[in-house]
Amino acid sequence: MLGVIDLPTYLVGLILIILLPGPNSLYVLSVAARRGVRTGYKAAAGVFTGDAVLMALAAAGAGALLQASPVAFGIVKLFGAGYLTWLAVGMMRGAWAMWRGRAEQAQAPDRAQAPAEAEGGEAERPYRRALLISLFNPKAILFLVSFFVQFVNPSYAYPALSFLVLGALLQLGSFLYLTLLIFGGTRLSAAFRRRKRLSAGATSAAGVLFLGFAAKLAVS
């Protein structure tokens, strides 16, 4: 079909890949839990855009270029690790602010909560953050090249079309998975609003995980 071979095997691998936890899905879940469905989908849109750019680069041979140039790969990798670290620090600072301010919020939970959440959602710019998380991931480019090429018929006259089909299936699976995370996150948000200690603890845990992602990317 359009130069794609062994489609069932690709779909099985696709499901496993999507279900693996990573910084993208974790960030979307975190945003949805803190800001709601609409803001969660803004973050998801950043992930979709970043993935689309990476798939286009993979199809154009950017992965082979990075493999051939260790310096270029190292630079992109360090930028990605640095950005993940910056996000982790921001999450931990936000968690610390929650710990310090939960007494004041408990005294007036309804008067300031909605404006503060709206302002925080705008200041966070979830689309841009999710987009940068996706783009500063050189492993994704290399993975897409090495994974996609296994399912493209080398004798097919239009290999770019084969990459397009494989990429569209990946985006569809990612959309369904992130939708589950977004609506699951909004269920968590109700508990977070009632329990500021739980919200601060979850934000701190997300920050620690992002530091882990950054360290793994930097030393790999």
Side-chain angles (χ1 to χ4, degrees):
M1 183 186 72
L2 299 177
V4 176
I5 58 177
D6 203 2
L7 184 59
T9 301
Y10 173 76
L11 293 177
V12 171
L14 188 66
I15 293 172
L16 295 176
I17 292 161
I18 291 174
L19 292 179
L20 286 175
N24 288 340
S25 57
L26 179 62
Y27 181 68
V28 171
L29 176 61
S30 172
V31 168
R34 290 181 286 112
R35 307 296 179 191
V37 170
R38 183 177 179 181
T39 310
Y41 272 113
K42 287 182 180 180
V47 173
F48 301 145
T49 304
D51 287 348
V53 171
L54 292 181
M55 284 185 282
L57 291 175
L65 175 62
L66 288 178
Q67 284 180 319
S69 176
V71 174
F73 179 79
I75 291 173
V76 176
K77 183 173 67 173
L78 290 177
F79 268 109
Y83 186 70
L84 289 177
T85 301
W86 181 74
L87 283 179
V89 171
M91 288 181 177
M92 291 180 174
R93 290 179 61 186
W96 175 246
M98 291 179 194
W99 283 108
R100 294 183 60 184
R102 63 191 176 94
E104 290 83 353
Q105 291 174 356
Q107 295 175 358
D110 298 325
R111 287 182 300 175
Q113 183 176 358
E117 288 187 357
E119 182 179 354
E122 291 299 323
E124 187 171 354
R125 297 182 181 178
Y127 174 83
R128 187 179 70 174
R129 286 196 175 187
L131 175 62
L132 290 176
I133 291 173
S134 295
L135 292 179
F136 284 126
N137 190 359
K139 280 184 159 184
I141 302 178
L142 298 178
F143 167 77
L144 288 173
V145 171
S146 61
F147 184 65
F148 278 8
V149 74
Q150 303 174 52
F151 303 97
V152 175
N153 187 348
S155 62
Y156 187 64
Y158 307 101
L161 185 58
S162 304
F163 273 90
L164 179 62
V165 172
L166 295 173
L169 291 173
L170 176 60
Q171 290 284 56
L172 176 61
S174 179
F175 172 79
L176 295 175
Y177 177 59
L178 291 180
T179 294
L180 290 175
L181 291 183
I182 288 170
F183 282 95
T186 55
R187 288 178 176 269
L188 291 175
S189 66
F192 287 164
R193 282 194 295 268
R194 291 193 303 267
R195 302 177 182 178
K196 295 301 179 181
R197 182 177 297 179
L198 175 63
S199 179
T203 303
S204 300
V208 171
L209 284 175
F210 266 71
L211 280 178
F213 288 134
K216 184 177 180 181
L217 180 60
V219 302
S220 61

